[in-house]
Amino acid sequence: MPYSSAHKQQSRERILAAAVDLFCRFGFDKISVAQVMKQANMTHGAFYAHFKSKSALYAQAISYAAMHSLWIREQHNTGSIADFERLIEAYLSLAHVNQFVAPCPLAFLVTDVAHSEPVVREVYQQTLQKMLQAMAKQLALFGLDNSTALAQHILTNLVGTVSIARTLSDQELQISLLDNAKQALFLRLKN
Amino acid sequence: MPYSSAHKQQSRERILAAAVDLFCRFGFDKISVAQVMKQANMTHGAFYAHFKSKSALYAQAISYAAMHSLWIREQHNTGSIADFERLIEAYLSLAHVNQFVAPCPLAFLVTDVAHSEPVVREVYQQTLQKMLQAMAKQLALFGLDNSTALAQHILTNLVGTVSIARTLSDQELQISLLDNAKQALFLRLKN
DNA sequence: GTCTATATGATGATAGAC
DNA sequence: GTCTATCATCATATAGAC
């Protein structure tokens, strides 16, 4: 075996990381397989030893992005409402909107996924449901009522605000939307 | 003049209407100029007598969609909060999510526009700002405080919820998100 | 202004050497 | 598994007849 399976796994991860970065930044259709492979330091032809199609890559890239997104990575550290609020602040930050940190695929790929194949949309939906469940569980631990409805409200606000802010060029307006959403969510968490 | 300028205007509108429908439904990159022209009952080559490029069409299609979206069309009929709430209900309906009525470009094209050229993004931003201003004005007439912040909150909720709901295939989850957003917004309007 | 026909370029995916 | 080279397809945009 000239190439270890660990090496293959490494290559695979480089491809996935490149795909997340580029798809989120420029969109699925704007990015070619060759571009993804270039960012992963390989050539076009090598791609098909890892994924059977570009769509298959997209589906797996969404899972990968979800796993590495700041919300999922930090969620287990939210033992208190204060921690939870800090996470909301990080999500609704310019750093996240400008993709200086690992992007949340739910916010960065909404419309893109809506226009994609069923396989891709399934993964998106499952990701959303997992995040909803995890968030509802946390909120329930904090002793909050209607944790399911509250989680839905928070998540749609986070995702909606970031996805809109990201399409704007006016930074003042971006900040205004982000801050306003923060305030509204903090208020809601106090009830 | 073999073709009246009224005729040209008609053709132009058919192209714009087709573009809005197809771009919102399938995405800008998934739709070719030829497909738009086919739905407008013309051939590929005729396109460039009306628009200088596909991107130029996109920018103008967003304005066109905004003008014809249900929110803009019905907004002037909202003399009371009850009317305003009816409009929210229409916006957060499955009919809108499934694009059975004229779609709101802000919700149906968020990510798509984020991945597009500056001209397109400018039009999107201007559309958003106009809607925010109009909504804030209405809310102020209703005697509500912080009408600017409130308008931002309502708009991001509307756009966010619909854009997310649209990417889901599970209808129960769609309805849950939509109803939950309605409730939250109605509650907020009562404060 | 609208048509048919075409130039030109890029894309997803495959074939075969190493 | 990764490379180079290539195929087949489809895209945007243009040229010229009517």
Side-chain angles (χ1 to χ4, degrees):
Chain A
M1 200 192 283
Y3 293 91
S4 68
S5 89
H7 178 231
K8 174 163 186 180
Q9 181 59 21
Q10 265 191 349
S11 297
R12 199 188 125 85
E13 294 229 356
R14 287 213 315 280
I15 298 173
L16 284 168
V20 169
D21 181 62
L22 293 171
F23 290 165
C24 285
R25 221 176 275 281
F26 303 107
F28 178 72
D29 293 302
K30 296 267 198 299
I31 291 297
S32 66
V33 173
Q35 282 173 298
V36 172
M37 292 303 279
K38 186 179 180 183
Q39 179 148 326
N41 282 314
M42 275 171 286
T43 53
H44 189 176
F47 174 78
Y48 295 89
H50 295 275
F51 301 93
K52 87 170 208 299
S53 72
K54 195 190 173 192
S55 285
L57 168 65
Y58 198 19
Q60 297 186 44
I62 291 172
S63 292
Y64 187 88
M67 268 171 37
H68 292 75
S69 71
L70 81 154
W71 193 278
I72 299 291
R73 275 188 299 110
E74 300 295 334
Q75 193 171 228
H76 55 88
N77 292 328
T78 60
S80 65
I81 293 197
D83 289 335
F84 193 82
E85 287 182 350
R86 258 189 291 280
L87 201 45
I88 288 179
E89 263 183 337
Y91 193 102
L92 293 175
S93 70
L94 276 181
H96 186 207
V97 167
N98 292 327
Q99 207 175 330
F100 295 151
V101 297
C104 172
L106 297 180
F108 281 71
L109 301 171
V110 227
T111 307
D112 222 56
V113 169
H115 295 148
S116 293
E117 295 178 20
V119 214
V120 179
R121 302 179 59 190
E122 269 308 310
V123 175
Y124 184 95
Q125 179 167 291
Q126 283 163 17
T127 302
L128 185 93
Q129 279 171 323
K130 275 182 202 160
M131 278 195 65
L132 279 175
Q133 281 167 18
M135 201 184 288
K137 200 174 161 187
Q138 287 264 333
L139 295 170
L141 286 175
F142 297 153
L144 292 165
D145 284 344
N146 289 326
S147 62
T148 301
L150 187 53
Q152 284 190 6
H153 183 253
I154 294 174
L155 194 63
T156 54
N157 263 279
L158 292 176
V159 172
T161 304
V162 167
S163 63
I164 295 168
R166 202 170 83 87
T167 77
L168 305 175
S169 52
D170 180 343
Q171 199 177 29
E172 274 191 51
L173 184 54
Q174 287 181 319
I175 294 174
S176 176
L177 291 181
L178 293 169
D179 285 351
N180 194 28
K182 268 178 230 171
Q183 263 200 314
L185 289 179
F186 289 173
L187 204 73
R188 176 91 187 235
L189 281 173
K190 295 209 173 8
N191 294 343
Chain B
M1 197 194 284
Y3 293 90
S4 66
S5 91
H7 178 231
K8 175 165 187 181
Q9 181 61 20
Q10 264 191 350
S11 298
R12 199 188 124 84
E13 295 229 353
R14 288 211 316 280
I15 297 173
L16 284 168
V20 169
D21 181 63
L22 293 172
F23 290 164
C24 286
R25 221 176 275 282
F26 303 106
F28 178 71
D29 293 303
K30 296 268 199 296
I31 292 297
S32 66
V33 172
Q35 283 173 299
V36 172
M37 291 304 279
K38 187 179 180 184
Q39 179 148 326
N41 283 314
M42 274 169 287
T43 54
H44 187 177
F47 174 78
Y48 295 88
H50 295 275
F51 301 92
K52 88 169 205 299
S53 72
K54 194 189 172 192
S55 284
L57 168 65
Y58 198 20
Q60 297 187 45
I62 291 173
S63 292
Y64 188 87
M67 269 171 38
H68 292 76
S69 71
L70 81 153
W71 192 279
I72 300 292
R73 273 190 298 109
E74 299 295 334
Q75 192 171 229
H76 54 89
N77 292 328
T78 60
S80 64
I81 294 200
D83 289 335
F84 193 82
E85 287 183 350
R86 257 189 292 281
L87 202 44
I88 288 180
E89 262 182 339
Y91 194 102
L92 294 174
S93 69
L94 277 181
H96 186 207
V97 167
N98 292 326
Q99 207 175 329
F100 294 152
V101 298
C104 172
L106 298 180
F108 281 71
L109 301 172
V110 227
T111 306
D112 223 56
V113 169
H115 296 148
S116 292
E117 295 178 19
V119 214
V120 179
R121 301 180 60 191
E122 269 309 309
V123 175
Y124 184 95
Q125 180 167 292
Q126 282 164 17
T127 302
L128 185 92
Q129 279 171 324
K130 274 183 202 159
M131 277 194 66
L132 278 175
Q133 281 167 19
M135 202 185 286
K137 199 174 161 188
Q138 286 265 333
L139 295 170
L141 284 176
F142 298 155
L144 293 165
D145 284 344
N146 288 326
S147 61
T148 301
L150 186 53
Q152 284 190 6
H153 184 253
I154 294 174
L155 195 61
T156 53
N157 263 280
L158 292 177
V159 171
T161 305
V162 167
S163 63
I164 296 168
R166 202 170 83 89
T167 76
L168 306 174
S169 52
D170 181 342
Q171 198 175 27
E172 273 190 51
L173 184 54
Q174 285 181 320
I175 293 174
S176 176
L177 291 181
L178 293 168
D179 285 352
N180 194 28
K182 267 177 231 170
Q183 261 198 314
L185 289 179
F186 288 173
L187 204 72
R188 175 93 187 233
L189 281 173
K190 294 209 174 9
N191 293 344

